[in-house]
Amino acid sequence: MRRVLFAARSAVALHRLLDVVPVFAGDARIARCFTLVPGSDFGVDALAVVDALGGRVVPWEEACAGAYDLVVSASPKGELALLSGPHVLLPHGAGFSKTIRAEGSADSASGLDPVYLRRAPIALHAMAHPDQVARLRAAGTGAASRARVVGDPTLDRLLASRPLRDRYRAALGTGSRRLLVLTSTWGPESLLHRRPDLPAELAAELPYDEYQLALVVHPNEHSRLGAYDLAERLAPAFDAGLVLAAPREEWAAVLVAADALVTDHGSTALYFAGSAADDRPVVGVGSGGPELIPGSPMDELLRSVPVLGRGQEIRRALDAYRPGAARHAAEAAFAFPGRALERLRAELYGLLGLTPAAATSPRLLPSPAPARRMPAAFDVHAGLIPDGVRVARHPVGLAPAGHHLAVEYGAAGEQVTLSAGVLYRRPLPSGAGWTSGGWTRHALDSYPGCRTAGVVQPCGDGVLRFRGRELPYAVRIEARVEADGRVSAVDPAVAVSAAHVWVAGHRDWDGGRVVFNCLVGEREFRVRLREATEGEAGAAV
């Protein structure tokens, strides 16, 4: 039996090690255990992850007293020399682009600092790209002679999971929207430290039915603050529907699902650029200051992509992206894409003196957690166009007031509900004590400021009632088939606002069947409006 100890100093290092564990999958000759290397301010969440997985944790003092056939770590920091056994060192990020001036050598990349590399005997320094070996050699520690280029196991998980992109988008509730992901590293030069209001600025600028926003935050910030405090700090953006990706695995699934990226100098952007099947836009925020290593892959990326100034300029910045810019930087960070586990397995089994038991492959990323916050009130900017109406919804409170306020009944507070010009509700899971026609009449009677009330179904159908018109009406907003065969749909609540605007602009309408277009961004959806049947008005909600 060979004993392999995975030694993690922080949550981010542990996440990297967990991407490597599958090299030993199916091998009963390997005993796997974990220990927490003391000394980091960001190790608080690390062991909780191992416990959740059911992994065996060895206390640090016990680990130092034992002997192991391999000691695998993803950071050279800490008293690793106290652990007995051949040491394998993996990068804990992509590209070695960042220096931490408060630790070690001010001009050395974190992970390549000779101050730390000289402390522990390294039997194998696994690198992702040949350029990294050259940088290691320039550091003058002698570790380059024991370096091997294997690729990046984390990148390979993203590459292997690309066929699950639609599944991830469905779990996130993205639909036909464009998923824009913001990434923030940790420290004083990070996006969240330099531009804490940027998520809310983008939520105010980008219409809800055209864009979904997600945020990927470095695990160190999750450890420092916790998900709850992060959400409270960013409450306006989260109330507007911003998705906060979990720091282990979910962040990578969100990158696979993403259509575009806004990034600081953190290496997450390299994973996005290196894994996308097509070339998707990347926009930079900030310069990285003294933390960014000149000439590193992230330095090259930020010099090659558009820079975002004010949040209001985001669409212009995305349009200014030059195809190939981000991908070229990623190619300078990753070699042997798709082959990292295979190559690393050969090296590790060589150190163990064993023949590999079986082939291995990257583990697919799990789908993101399905529970997402959806705004319950919108400032609706709308107006008539020659063949219908245009609608752009913004979560209330972020953008200027629009044509009307649309509120989901039962999901918003009383004050905003009283101010709504449009009220709509969705069916409750247990089935409430109303018919569609009955509730729409009740809503108009109970809320004098409401001009249109509607019940919407997930399929796109709805029942409406307009103030001043006695009969209930059926409305349907149809999905559309794009040129490439994809089906695009929009939240059926958009149909209530669209019908409200159309009827208000056609006061001579006789109540007969009508078909018009609803323009949402660059997409047109067909809306059908007619008198509701007795069965439609009597349906329970």
Side-chain angles (χ1 to χ4, degrees):
M1 180 71 69
R2 302 294 201 272
R3 301 178 70 204
V4 178
L5 178 68
F6 293 91
R9 187 171 178 266
S10 64
V12 66
L14 175 66
H15 300 163
R16 171 54 61 104
L17 295 177
L18 291 172
D19 287 341
V20 168
V21 171
V23 298
F24 301 119
D27 196 334
R29 298 169 298 175
I30 305 296
R32 309 148 189 84
C33 54
F34 299 83
T35 193
L36 180 65
V37 182
S40 173
D41 294 333
F42 307 112
V44 62
D45 297 329
L47 292 185
V49 174
V50 178
D51 287 340
L53 294 172
R56 183 190 169 203
V57 177
V58 179
W60 175 249
E61 293 78 9
E62 181 181 333
C64 292
Y68 298 90
D69 296 287
L70 277 184
V71 176
V72 186
S73 58
S75 169
K77 299 175 183 178
E79 298 299 330
L80 293 174
L82 297 178
L83 300 173
S84 176
H87 284 244
V88 175
L89 182 60
L90 306 167
H92 70 272
F96 293 108
S97 298
K98 185 176 179 179
T99 181
I100 303 174
R101 293 180 172 254
E103 299 180 1
S105 307
D107 58 348
S108 292
S110 180
L112 294 179
D113 194 327
V115 170
Y116 297 105
L117 292 178
R118 292 191 179 102
R119 289 183 178 179
I122 299 174
L124 171 65
H125 203 314
M127 311 297 272
H129 193 277
D131 288 352
Q132 297 171 6
V133 180
R135 294 173 65 184
L136 187 62
R137 185 175 294 110
T141 63
S145 63
R146 298 178 294 279
R148 299 292 184 271
V149 179
V150 299
D152 189 290
T154 301
L155 175 72
D156 286 4
R157 293 193 71 187
L158 275 78
L159 291 170
S161 301
R162 289 192 309 199
L164 281 69
R165 173 175 161 84
D166 287 346
R167 183 184 296 271
Y168 299 155
R169 291 172 66 87
L172 291 166
T174 307
S176 303
R177 294 179 291 173
R178 194 177 185 187
L179 176 57
L180 177 63
V181 177
L182 290 76
T183 69
S184 179
T185 187
W186 67 283
E189 299 293 335
S190 68
L191 182 151
L192 285 184
H193 279 252
R194 290 287 185 178
R195 302 282 299 275
D197 296 329
L198 183 59
E201 289 178 20
L202 296 182
E205 176 64 21
L206 299 173
Y208 179 84
D209 299 298
E210 299 172 48
Y211 290 86
Q212 183 183 33
L213 296 177
L215 176 63
V216 172
V217 179
H218 194 283
N220 285 358
E221 285 294 277
H222 277 274
S223 295
R224 185 175 72 90
L225 298 174
Y228 176 79
D229 195 36
L230 273 170
E232 288 299 310
R233 288 171 181 242
L234 300 165
F238 280 101
D239 291 342
L242 178 74
V243 173
L244 176 63
R248 178 174 176 259
E249 298 184 315
E250 187 172 76
W251 69 269
V254 168
L255 289 192
V256 174
D259 296 297
L261 195 77
V262 175
T263 183
D264 57 16
H265 60 297
S267 62
T268 302
L270 294 171
Y271 287 113
F272 175 75
S275 63
D278 49 358
D279 195 21
R280 298 172 191 157
V282 177
V283 172
V285 175
S287 65
E291 294 182 355
L292 183 61
I293 300 290
S296 65
M298 271 309 300
D299 181 50
E300 179 182 344
L301 185 147
L302 290 178
R303 291 177 183 275
S304 303
V305 303
V307 176
L308 178 64
R310 300 180 304 142
Q312 293 85 346
E313 300 168 355
I314 180 61
R315 280 177 280 201
R316 187 184 312 161
L318 292 171
D319 290 342
Y321 174 76
R322 188 176 71 256
R327 178 165 291 175
H328 183 70
E331 289 170 353
F334 306 116
F336 304 112
R339 297 179 56 195
L341 282 187
E342 165 199 338
R343 294 175 65 84
L344 182 60
R345 183 183 60 150
E347 297 289 345
L348 296 184
Y349 272 92
L351 291 172
L352 290 170
L354 296 175
T355 300
T360 189
S361 58
R363 289 180 179 160
L364 300 180
L365 298 164
S367 291
R372 304 291 162 189
R373 182 180 301 185
M374 184 176 183
F378 293 93
D379 281 311
V380 182
H381 295 252
L384 295 175
I385 57 176
D387 57 350
V389 299
R390 56 171 177 79
V391 171
R393 301 191 303 170
H394 295 265
V396 70
L398 294 178
H403 178 275
H404 63 272
L405 176 64
V407 175
E408 181 178 352
Y409 182 83
E414 182 70 358
Q415 182 176 356
V416 71
T417 302
L418 285 167
S419 302
V422 169
L423 277 178
Y424 60 92
R425 67 171 292 169
R426 306 179 196 272
L428 295 176
S430 60
W434 287 102
T435 64
S436 295
W439 183 83
T440 53
R441 181 184 292 108
H442 166 75
L444 293 177
D445 290 344
S446 301
Y447 295 94
C450 176
R451 313 306 298 173
T452 300
V455 172
V456 296
Q457 302 287 346
C459 63
D461 292 336
V463 171
L464 309 179
R465 198 178 292 271
F466 305 103
R467 188 170 297 280
R469 292 179 180 266
E470 176 59 27
L471 295 175
Y473 291 84
V475 67
R476 177 174 179 80
I477 188 163
E478 298 177 347
R480 53 173 281 160
V481 179
E482 307 294 348
D484 62 359
R486 288 183 176 271
V487 177
S488 294
V490 72
D491 180 5
V494 170
V496 184
S497 286
H500 172 78
V501 174
W502 192 90
V503 170
H506 296 80
R507 297 187 182 279
D508 57 348
W509 176 51
D510 63 3
R513 186 185 301 264
V514 65
V515 179
F516 61 89
N517 289 325
C518 177
L519 182 64
V520 180
E522 297 179 352
R523 292 187 173 102
E524 282 190 342
F525 297 89
R526 188 68 55 85
V527 177
R528 300 182 182 276
L529 184 64
R530 57 171 173 79
E531 289 185 12
T533 66
E534 185 175 331
E536 290 167 335
V541 293

